[in-house]
Amino acid sequence: AQKITQTQPGMFVQEKEAVTLDCTYDTSDPSYGLFWYKQPSSGEMIFLIYQGSYDQQNATEGRYSLNFQKARKSANLVISASQLGDSAMYFCATGGATNKLIFGTGTLLAVQP
Amino acid sequence: NAGVMQNPRHLVRRRGQEARLRCSPMKGHSHVYWYRQLPEEGLKFMVYLQKENIIDESGMPKERFSAEFPKEGPSILRIQQVVRGDSAAYFCASSPPASLGTSMKKLFFGSGTQLSVL
């Protein structure tokens, strides 16, 4: 079975500072992927970043980076230089051999000016 | 190149009516997934379809819910005799017919349909 745990229901960050959103996972699949999605108040799901379980390097996409620690089963999202437009819900998810995503409960990020 | 298109964006139904949600995948995508998001929760997998085939429906409620992805036209999620507990946002996602590893990276979501049952 697969499970995603996001322990931070809400986070505050000052504009231009970096923030880390926590995610731990549990899976029995030997090969799996880890995803982060952003859901602004408008409701759509926006893909941010992907990390494969066998990728040697941590994934980066612009201001987003994924701090992947396989032994600890963690896949934290780091957002650098926060912007007001980053205020949204952030969901961590995992997918494996079943080819479907399991999502966490999300973290609500509020960027303060 | 249009993204995943879902309609309607908002759907209001009275208890006992039927709800039909439509999803047109991205051009070239042949895999469709439906997810449900209850208030204050993350997305929950419902069903995975390819053209004319249901691949995995392990997340679908046993009664009143059905899904199809015909050879021609959009994928349809159908909810019969809706109840208030069906009120949620329903998201569709699509991916191309590639290997598992590649298709997992390229899972694109639509904007969702917000179903409200009165």
mmCIF file of all heavy atoms in Angstrom, chain B residues 3-43:
data_model
loop_
_atom_site.group_PDB
_atom_site.id
_atom_site.type_symbol
_atom_site.label_atom_id
_atom_site.label_comp_id
_atom_site.label_asym_id
_atom_site.label_seq_id
_atom_site.Cartn_x
_atom_site.Cartn_y
_atom_site.Cartn_z
ATOM 1 N N GLY B 3 -5.111 21.947 -23.246
ATOM 2 C CA GLY B 3 -4.859 21.030 -22.144
ATOM 3 C C GLY B 3 -6.045 20.112 -21.942
ATOM 4 O O GLY B 3 -6.912 19.967 -22.800
ATOM 5 N N VAL B 4 -6.090 19.495 -20.762
ATOM 6 C CA VAL B 4 -7.202 18.621 -20.413
ATOM 7 C C VAL B 4 -8.433 19.490 -20.181
ATOM 8 O O VAL B 4 -8.382 20.424 -19.376
ATOM 9 C CB VAL B 4 -6.869 17.800 -19.159
ATOM 10 C CG1 VAL B 4 -8.048 16.908 -18.789
ATOM 11 C CG2 VAL B 4 -5.601 16.982 -19.373
ATOM 12 N N MET B 5 -9.503 19.193 -20.880
ATOM 13 C CA MET B 5 -10.703 20.025 -20.799
ATOM 14 C C MET B 5 -11.791 19.275 -20.045
ATOM 15 O O MET B 5 -12.150 18.152 -20.403
ATOM 16 C CB MET B 5 -11.202 20.373 -22.203
ATOM 17 C CG MET B 5 -10.168 21.069 -23.074
ATOM 18 S SD MET B 5 -9.625 22.623 -22.365
ATOM 19 C CE MET B 5 -11.105 23.596 -22.540
ATOM 20 N N GLN B 6 -12.306 19.928 -19.005
ATOM 21 C CA GLN B 6 -13.404 19.346 -18.250
ATOM 22 C C GLN B 6 -14.601 20.275 -18.312
ATOM 23 O O GLN B 6 -14.459 21.500 -18.217
ATOM 24 C CB GLN B 6 -13.020 19.162 -16.774
ATOM 25 C CG GLN B 6 -12.026 18.045 -16.548
ATOM 26 C CD GLN B 6 -11.832 17.751 -15.075
ATOM 27 O OE1 GLN B 6 -10.772 18.012 -14.505
ATOM 28 N NE2 GLN B 6 -12.854 17.205 -14.435
ATOM 29 N N ASN B 7 -15.761 19.684 -18.466
ATOM 30 C CA ASN B 7 -16.979 20.478 -18.390
ATOM 31 C C ASN B 7 -18.123 19.649 -17.842
ATOM 32 O O ASN B 7 -18.118 18.422 -17.962
ATOM 33 C CB ASN B 7 -17.327 21.075 -19.760
ATOM 34 C CG ASN B 7 -17.736 20.012 -20.765
ATOM 35 O OD1 ASN B 7 -18.881 19.569 -20.789
ATOM 36 N ND2 ASN B 7 -16.798 19.591 -21.595
ATOM 37 N N PRO B 8 -19.055 20.296 -17.147
ATOM 38 C CA PRO B 8 -19.030 21.733 -16.878
ATOM 39 C C PRO B 8 -18.040 22.081 -15.770
ATOM 40 O O PRO B 8 -17.529 21.200 -15.089
ATOM 41 C CB PRO B 8 -20.475 22.004 -16.425
ATOM 42 C CG PRO B 8 -20.893 20.728 -15.771
ATOM 43 C CD PRO B 8 -20.237 19.628 -16.576
ATOM 44 N N ARG B 9 -17.773 23.330 -15.582
ATOM 45 C CA ARG B 9 -16.881 23.774 -14.510
ATOM 46 C C ARG B 9 -17.577 23.665 -13.160
ATOM 47 O O ARG B 9 -16.966 23.320 -12.155
ATOM 48 C CB ARG B 9 -16.462 25.222 -14.784
ATOM 49 C CG ARG B 9 -15.385 25.729 -13.851
ATOM 50 C CD ARG B 9 -14.009 25.183 -14.244
ATOM 51 N NE ARG B 9 -12.971 25.822 -13.437
ATOM 52 C CZ ARG B 9 -12.586 25.372 -12.241
ATOM 53 N NH1 ARG B 9 -13.158 24.290 -11.724
ATOM 54 N NH2 ARG B 9 -11.645 25.999 -11.572
ATOM 55 N N HIS B 10 -18.863 23.970 -13.169
ATOM 56 C CA HIS B 10 -19.693 23.854 -11.966
ATOM 57 C C HIS B 10 -20.974 23.130 -12.350
ATOM 58 O O HIS B 10 -21.537 23.390 -13.427
ATOM 59 C CB HIS B 10 -20.036 25.231 -11.390
ATOM 60 C CG HIS B 10 -18.836 26.027 -10.976
ATOM 61 N ND1 HIS B 10 -18.241 25.880 -9.748
ATOM 62 C CD2 HIS B 10 -18.117 26.961 -11.646
ATOM 63 C CE1 HIS B 10 -17.202 26.692 -9.674
ATOM 64 N NE2 HIS B 10 -17.101 27.366 -10.813
ATOM 65 N N LEU B 11 -21.442 22.258 -11.484
ATOM 66 C CA LEU B 11 -22.660 21.490 -11.751
ATOM 67 C C LEU B 11 -23.467 21.412 -10.465
ATOM 68 O O LEU B 11 -22.956 20.975 -9.434
ATOM 69 C CB LEU B 11 -22.308 20.087 -12.247
ATOM 70 C CG LEU B 11 -23.453 19.154 -12.623
ATOM 71 C CD1 LEU B 11 -24.273 19.739 -13.761
ATOM 72 C CD2 LEU B 11 -22.921 17.787 -13.004
ATOM 73 N N VAL B 12 -24.707 21.835 -10.549
ATOM 74 C CA VAL B 12 -25.594 21.779 -9.391
ATOM 75 C C VAL B 12 -26.694 20.771 -9.678
ATOM 76 O O VAL B 12 -27.336 20.833 -10.730
ATOM 77 C CB VAL B 12 -26.206 23.160 -9.079
ATOM 78 C CG1 VAL B 12 -27.132 23.061 -7.866
ATOM 79 C CG2 VAL B 12 -25.108 24.189 -8.829
ATOM 80 N N ARG B 13 -26.914 19.858 -8.758
ATOM 81 C CA ARG B 13 -27.946 18.838 -8.900
ATOM 82 C C ARG B 13 -28.726 18.722 -7.596
ATOM 83 O O ARG B 13 -28.198 18.963 -6.508
ATOM 84 C CB ARG B 13 -27.326 17.474 -9.234
ATOM 85 C CG ARG B 13 -26.842 17.360 -10.668
ATOM 86 C CD ARG B 13 -28.008 17.271 -11.626
ATOM 87 N NE ARG B 13 -27.610 17.213 -13.029
ATOM 88 C CZ ARG B 13 -27.534 18.266 -13.813
ATOM 89 N NH1 ARG B 13 -27.765 19.478 -13.338
ATOM 90 N NH2 ARG B 13 -27.194 18.114 -15.073
ATOM 91 N N ARG B 14 -29.990 18.320 -7.734
ATOM 92 C CA ARG B 14 -30.802 18.005 -6.558
ATOM 93 C C ARG B 14 -30.606 16.527 -6.233
ATOM 94 O O ARG B 14 -30.281 15.711 -7.112
ATOM 95 C CB ARG B 14 -32.261 18.301 -6.821
ATOM 96 C CG ARG B 14 -32.546 19.774 -7.063
ATOM 97 C CD ARG B 14 -34.035 20.043 -7.115
ATOM 98 N NE ARG B 14 -34.299 21.433 -7.447
ATOM 99 C CZ ARG B 14 -34.247 22.422 -6.564
ATOM 100 N NH1 ARG B 14 -33.959 22.172 -5.295
ATOM 101 N NH2 ARG B 14 -34.498 23.660 -6.943
ATOM 102 N N ARG B 15 -30.816 16.192 -4.990
ATOM 103 C CA ARG B 15 -30.714 14.792 -4.566
ATOM 104 C C ARG B 15 -31.584 13.910 -5.446
ATOM 105 O O ARG B 15 -32.727 14.241 -5.751
ATOM 106 C CB ARG B 15 -31.142 14.641 -3.110
ATOM 107 C CG ARG B 15 -30.086 15.055 -2.110
ATOM 108 C CD ARG B 15 -30.584 14.905 -0.698
ATOM 109 N NE ARG B 15 -31.701 15.812 -0.435
ATOM 110 C CZ ARG B 15 -32.441 15.780 0.656
ATOM 111 N NH1 ARG B 15 -32.220 14.871 1.588
ATOM 112 N NH2 ARG B 15 -33.401 16.641 0.833
ATOM 113 N N GLY B 16 -31.031 12.788 -5.896
ATOM 114 C CA GLY B 16 -31.766 11.853 -6.730
ATOM 115 C C GLY B 16 -31.567 12.043 -8.217
ATOM 116 O O GLY B 16 -31.897 11.139 -9.006
ATOM 117 N N GLN B 17 -31.016 13.176 -8.624
ATOM 118 C CA GLN B 17 -30.768 13.403 -10.053
ATOM 119 C C GLN B 17 -29.467 12.732 -10.473
ATOM 120 O O GLN B 17 -28.707 12.206 -9.666
ATOM 121 C CB GLN B 17 -30.707 14.909 -10.344
ATOM 122 C CG GLN B 17 -32.039 15.616 -10.186
ATOM 123 C CD GLN B 17 -31.965 17.081 -10.584
ATOM 124 O OE1 GLN B 17 -30.986 17.777 -10.298
ATOM 125 N NE2 GLN B 17 -33.014 17.561 -11.242
ATOM 126 N N GLU B 18 -29.211 12.780 -11.775
ATOM 127 C CA GLU B 18 -27.985 12.207 -12.323
ATOM 128 C C GLU B 18 -26.996 13.331 -12.639
ATOM 129 O O GLU B 18 -27.385 14.413 -13.066
ATOM 130 C CB GLU B 18 -28.291 11.423 -13.596
ATOM 131 C CG GLU B 18 -27.058 10.825 -14.263
ATOM 132 C CD GLU B 18 -27.390 10.072 -15.535
ATOM 133 O OE1 GLU B 18 -27.908 8.942 -15.420
ATOM 134 O OE2 GLU B 18 -27.125 10.605 -16.636
ATOM 135 N N ALA B 19 -25.724 13.038 -12.432
ATOM 136 C CA ALA B 19 -24.669 13.981 -12.803
ATOM 137 C C ALA B 19 -23.765 13.320 -13.846
ATOM 138 O O ALA B 19 -23.375 12.162 -13.691
ATOM 139 C CB ALA B 19 -23.845 14.366 -11.578
ATOM 140 N N ARG B 20 -23.489 14.058 -14.911
ATOM 141 C CA ARG B 20 -22.578 13.568 -15.948
ATOM 142 C C ARG B 20 -21.444 14.573 -16.099
ATOM 143 O O ARG B 20 -21.675 15.730 -16.443
ATOM 144 C CB ARG B 20 -23.324 13.385 -17.271
ATOM 145 C CG ARG B 20 -24.348 12.260 -17.229
ATOM 146 C CD ARG B 20 -25.192 12.225 -18.496
ATOM 147 N NE ARG B 20 -24.447 11.818 -19.660
ATOM 148 C CZ ARG B 20 -24.316 10.557 -20.051
ATOM 149 N NH1 ARG B 20 -24.817 9.567 -19.320
ATOM 150 N NH2 ARG B 20 -23.650 10.265 -21.149
ATOM 151 N N LEU B 21 -20.227 14.105 -15.861
ATOM 152 C CA LEU B 21 -19.051 14.956 -15.935
ATOM 153 C C LEU B 21 -18.217 14.505 -17.135
ATOM 154 O O LEU B 21 -17.995 13.319 -17.322
ATOM 155 C CB LEU B 21 -18.223 14.838 -14.651
ATOM 156 C CG LEU B 21 -18.763 15.473 -13.359
ATOM 157 C CD1 LEU B 21 -20.080 14.844 -12.903
ATOM 158 C CD2 LEU B 21 -17.737 15.374 -12.258
ATOM 159 N N ARG B 22 -17.752 15.478 -17.903
ATOM 160 C CA ARG B 22 -17.035 15.157 -19.139
ATOM 161 C C ARG B 22 -15.568 15.563 -19.057
ATOM 162 O O ARG B 22 -15.225 16.572 -18.436
ATOM 163 C CB ARG B 22 -17.683 15.862 -20.329
ATOM 164 C CG ARG B 22 -19.077 15.383 -20.626
ATOM 165 C CD ARG B 22 -19.745 16.180 -21.712
ATOM 166 N NE ARG B 22 -21.129 15.755 -21.933
ATOM 167 C CZ ARG B 22 -22.139 16.074 -21.141
ATOM 168 N NH1 ARG B 22 -21.950 16.836 -20.067
ATOM 169 N NH2 ARG B 22 -23.347 15.638 -21.414
ATOM 170 N N CYS B 23 -14.744 14.782 -19.707
ATOM 171 C CA CYS B 23 -13.315 15.052 -19.731
ATOM 172 C C CYS B 23 -12.752 14.736 -21.107
ATOM 173 O O CYS B 23 -12.844 13.593 -21.573
ATOM 174 C CB CYS B 23 -12.598 14.211 -18.680
ATOM 175 S SG CYS B 23 -10.790 14.253 -18.821
ATOM 176 N N SER B 24 -12.169 15.736 -21.746
ATOM 177 C CA SER B 24 -11.469 15.521 -23.008
ATOM 178 C C SER B 24 -9.982 15.585 -22.723
ATOM 179 O O SER B 24 -9.473 16.634 -22.303
ATOM 180 C CB SER B 24 -11.868 16.583 -24.033
ATOM 181 O OG SER B 24 -13.240 16.481 -24.347
ATOM 182 N N PRO B 25 -9.264 14.483 -22.925
ATOM 183 C CA PRO B 25 -7.820 14.486 -22.617
ATOM 184 C C PRO B 25 -7.061 15.361 -23.596
ATOM 185 O O PRO B 25 -7.593 15.808 -24.612
ATOM 186 C CB PRO B 25 -7.438 13.014 -22.784
ATOM 187 C CG PRO B 25 -8.443 12.458 -23.729
ATOM 188 C CD PRO B 25 -9.718 13.196 -23.459
ATOM 189 N N MET B 26 -5.813 15.585 -23.253
ATOM 190 C CA MET B 26 -4.941 16.333 -24.154
ATOM 191 C C MET B 26 -4.789 15.558 -25.460
ATOM 192 O O MET B 26 -4.876 14.327 -25.479
ATOM 193 C CB MET B 26 -3.576 16.549 -23.516
ATOM 194 C CG MET B 26 -3.574 17.580 -22.414
ATOM 195 S SD MET B 26 -1.937 17.852 -21.717
ATOM 196 C CE MET B 26 -1.139 18.690 -23.086
ATOM 197 N N LYS B 27 -4.536 16.269 -26.525
ATOM 198 C CA LYS B 27 -4.366 15.649 -27.838
ATOM 199 C C LYS B 27 -3.221 14.639 -27.777
ATOM 200 O O LYS B 27 -2.139 14.952 -27.264
ATOM 201 C CB LYS B 27 -4.065 16.726 -28.878
ATOM 202 C CG LYS B 27 -4.028 16.206 -30.305
ATOM 203 C CD LYS B 27 -3.798 17.349 -31.290
ATOM 204 C CE LYS B 27 -3.776 16.829 -32.720
ATOM 205 N NZ LYS B 27 -3.553 17.930 -33.698
ATOM 206 N N GLY B 28 -3.498 13.444 -28.256
ATOM 207 C CA GLY B 28 -2.466 12.409 -28.253
ATOM 208 C C GLY B 28 -2.434 11.561 -26.997
ATOM 209 O O GLY B 28 -1.724 10.563 -26.925
ATOM 210 N N HIS B 29 -3.226 11.938 -25.985
ATOM 211 C CA HIS B 29 -3.263 11.165 -24.742
ATOM 212 C C HIS B 29 -4.378 10.129 -24.820
ATOM 213 O O HIS B 29 -5.507 10.442 -25.201
ATOM 214 C CB HIS B 29 -3.522 12.079 -23.545
ATOM 215 C CG HIS B 29 -2.354 12.907 -23.162
ATOM 216 N ND1 HIS B 29 -2.291 13.592 -21.968
ATOM 217 C CD2 HIS B 29 -1.180 13.163 -23.800
ATOM 218 C CE1 HIS B 29 -1.132 14.233 -21.893
ATOM 219 N NE2 HIS B 29 -0.449 13.993 -23.004
ATOM 220 N N SER B 30 -4.055 8.909 -24.407
ATOM 221 C CA SER B 30 -5.053 7.844 -24.471
ATOM 222 C C SER B 30 -5.365 7.255 -23.097
ATOM 223 O O SER B 30 -6.113 6.287 -22.999
ATOM 224 C CB SER B 30 -4.572 6.731 -25.410
ATOM 225 O OG SER B 30 -3.330 6.221 -24.960
ATOM 226 N N HIS B 31 -4.745 7.812 -22.054
ATOM 227 C CA HIS B 31 -4.992 7.328 -20.691
ATOM 228 C C HIS B 31 -5.699 8.431 -19.920
ATOM 229 O O HIS B 31 -5.270 9.590 -19.948
ATOM 230 C CB HIS B 31 -3.683 7.004 -19.969
ATOM 231 C CG HIS B 31 -2.857 5.954 -20.641
ATOM 232 N ND1 HIS B 31 -1.900 5.236 -19.955
ATOM 233 C CD2 HIS B 31 -2.838 5.477 -21.893
ATOM 234 C CE1 HIS B 31 -1.326 4.378 -20.774
ATOM 235 N NE2 HIS B 31 -1.874 4.507 -21.955
ATOM 236 N N VAL B 32 -6.776 8.076 -19.247
ATOM 237 C CA VAL B 32 -7.558 9.043 -18.474
ATOM 238 C C VAL B 32 -7.740 8.528 -17.051
ATOM 239 O O VAL B 32 -7.995 7.338 -16.846
ATOM 240 C CB VAL B 32 -8.933 9.293 -19.132
ATOM 241 C CG1 VAL B 32 -9.866 10.013 -18.177
ATOM 242 C CG2 VAL B 32 -8.773 10.115 -20.404
ATOM 243 N N TYR B 33 -7.606 9.427 -16.106
ATOM 244 C CA TYR B 33 -7.775 9.106 -14.682
ATOM 245 C C TYR B 33 -8.802 10.081 -14.088
ATOM 246 O O TYR B 33 -8.791 11.269 -14.418
ATOM 247 C CB TYR B 33 -6.464 9.297 -13.916
ATOM 248 C CG TYR B 33 -5.271 8.581 -14.525
ATOM 249 C CD1 TYR B 33 -4.606 9.107 -15.622
ATOM 250 C CD2 TYR B 33 -4.800 7.401 -13.973
ATOM 251 C CE1 TYR B 33 -3.506 8.468 -16.175
ATOM 252 C CE2 TYR B 33 -3.698 6.753 -14.513
ATOM 253 C CZ TYR B 33 -3.062 7.293 -15.615
ATOM 254 O OH TYR B 33 -1.979 6.655 -16.159
ATOM 255 N N TRP B 34 -9.650 9.581 -13.222
ATOM 256 C CA TRP B 34 -10.589 10.444 -12.496
ATOM 257 C C TRP B 34 -10.236 10.420 -11.007
ATOM 258 O O TRP B 34 -9.980 9.347 -10.430
ATOM 259 C CB TRP B 34 -12.036 9.970 -12.688
ATOM 260 C CG TRP B 34 -12.622 10.293 -14.015
ATOM 261 C CD1 TRP B 34 -12.664 9.496 -15.127
ATOM 262 C CD2 TRP B 34 -13.294 11.512 -14.383
ATOM 263 N NE1 TRP B 34 -13.301 10.144 -16.161
ATOM 264 C CE2 TRP B 34 -13.702 11.379 -15.736
ATOM 265 C CE3 TRP B 34 -13.591 12.698 -13.712
ATOM 266 C CZ2 TRP B 34 -14.398 12.382 -16.420
ATOM 267 C CZ3 TRP B 34 -14.276 13.689 -14.381
ATOM 268 C CH2 TRP B 34 -14.673 13.532 -15.717
ATOM 269 N N TYR B 35 -10.254 11.618 -10.413
ATOM 270 C CA TYR B 35 -9.989 11.775 -8.993
ATOM 271 C C TYR B 35 -11.111 12.606 -8.365
ATOM 272 O O TYR B 35 -11.727 13.446 -9.028
ATOM 273 C CB TYR B 35 -8.667 12.516 -8.763
ATOM 274 C CG TYR B 35 -7.431 11.720 -9.073
ATOM 275 C CD1 TYR B 35 -6.980 11.567 -10.383
ATOM 276 C CD2 TYR B 35 -6.700 11.118 -8.054
ATOM 277 C CE1 TYR B 35 -5.845 10.826 -10.660
ATOM 278 C CE2 TYR B 35 -5.565 10.382 -8.330
ATOM 279 C CZ TYR B 35 -5.144 10.242 -9.633
ATOM 280 O OH TYR B 35 -4.017 9.508 -9.909
ATOM 281 N N ARG B 36 -11.336 12.392 -7.081
ATOM 282 C CA ARG B 36 -12.325 13.170 -6.346
ATOM 283 C C ARG B 36 -11.637 13.874 -5.176
ATOM 284 O O ARG B 36 -10.810 13.267 -4.484
ATOM 285 C CB ARG B 36 -13.447 12.260 -5.834
ATOM 286 C CG ARG B 36 -14.481 12.987 -4.987
ATOM 287 C CD ARG B 36 -15.721 12.167 -4.768
ATOM 288 N NE ARG B 36 -15.501 10.935 -4.027
ATOM 289 C CZ ARG B 36 -16.477 10.119 -3.657
ATOM 290 N NH1 ARG B 36 -17.731 10.401 -3.964
ATOM 291 N NH2 ARG B 36 -16.216 9.013 -2.998
ATOM 292 N N GLN B 37 -11.998 15.125 -4.973
ATOM 293 C CA GLN B 37 -11.459 15.893 -3.854
ATOM 294 C C GLN B 37 -12.609 16.391 -2.995
ATOM 295 O O GLN B 37 -13.352 17.288 -3.388
ATOM 296 C CB GLN B 37 -10.613 17.071 -4.343
ATOM 297 C CG GLN B 37 -9.935 17.825 -3.211
ATOM 298 C CD GLN B 37 -9.082 18.973 -3.701
ATOM 299 O OE1 GLN B 37 -9.344 19.564 -4.745
ATOM 300 N NE2 GLN B 37 -8.034 19.297 -2.954
ATOM 301 N N LEU B 38 -12.730 15.818 -1.799
ATOM 302 C CA LEU B 38 -13.718 16.281 -0.845
ATOM 303 C C LEU B 38 -13.178 17.540 -0.168
ATOM 304 O O LEU B 38 -11.956 17.764 -0.129
ATOM 305 C CB LEU B 38 -14.016 15.185 0.181
ATOM 306 C CG LEU B 38 -14.681 13.927 -0.402
ATOM 307 C CD1 LEU B 38 -14.719 12.815 0.631
ATOM 308 C CD2 LEU B 38 -16.081 14.240 -0.888
ATOM 309 N N PRO B 39 -14.058 18.370 0.392
ATOM 310 C CA PRO B 39 -13.595 19.605 1.050
ATOM 311 C C PRO B 39 -12.519 19.316 2.094
ATOM 312 O O PRO B 39 -12.631 18.379 2.867
ATOM 313 C CB PRO B 39 -14.874 20.152 1.693
ATOM 314 C CG PRO B 39 -15.973 19.621 0.840
ATOM 315 C CD PRO B 39 -15.526 18.249 0.397
ATOM 316 N N GLU B 40 -11.478 20.124 2.077
ATOM 317 C CA GLU B 40 -10.395 20.054 3.063
ATOM 318 C C GLU B 40 -9.565 18.774 2.942
ATOM 319 O O GLU B 40 -8.841 18.420 3.870
ATOM 320 C CB GLU B 40 -10.939 20.152 4.512
ATOM 321 C CG GLU B 40 -11.905 21.284 4.746
ATOM 322 C CD GLU B 40 -11.270 22.654 4.641
ATOM 323 O OE1 GLU B 40 -10.095 22.781 5.022
ATOM 324 O OE2 GLU B 40 -11.933 23.592 4.160
ATOM 325 N N GLU B 41 -9.648 18.074 1.824
ATOM 326 C CA GLU B 41 -8.884 16.838 1.671
ATOM 327 C C GLU B 41 -8.064 16.855 0.390
ATOM 328 O O GLU B 41 -8.256 17.703 -0.479
ATOM 329 C CB GLU B 41 -9.833 15.633 1.645
ATOM 330 C CG GLU B 41 -10.557 15.394 2.962
ATOM 331 C CD GLU B 41 -11.358 14.108 2.947
ATOM 332 O OE1 GLU B 41 -11.173 13.287 2.025
ATOM 333 O OE2 GLU B 41 -12.170 13.915 3.866
ATOM 334 N N GLY B 42 -7.148 15.903 0.280
ATOM 335 C CA GLY B 42 -6.409 15.726 -0.954
ATOM 336 C C GLY B 42 -7.222 14.937 -1.961
ATOM 337 O O GLY B 42 -8.335 14.502 -1.691
ATOM 338 N N LEU B 43 -6.662 14.769 -3.139
ATOM 339 C CA LEU B 43 -7.356 14.038 -4.196
ATOM 340 C C LEU B 43 -7.309 12.537 -3.934
ATOM 341 O O LEU B 43 -6.284 12.002 -3.499
ATOM 342 C CB LEU B 43 -6.713 14.331 -5.556
ATOM 343 C CG LEU B 43 -7.156 15.604 -6.265
ATOM 344 C CD1 LEU B 43 -6.669 16.840 -5.550
ATOM 345 C CD2 LEU B 43 -6.679 15.601 -7.714
#
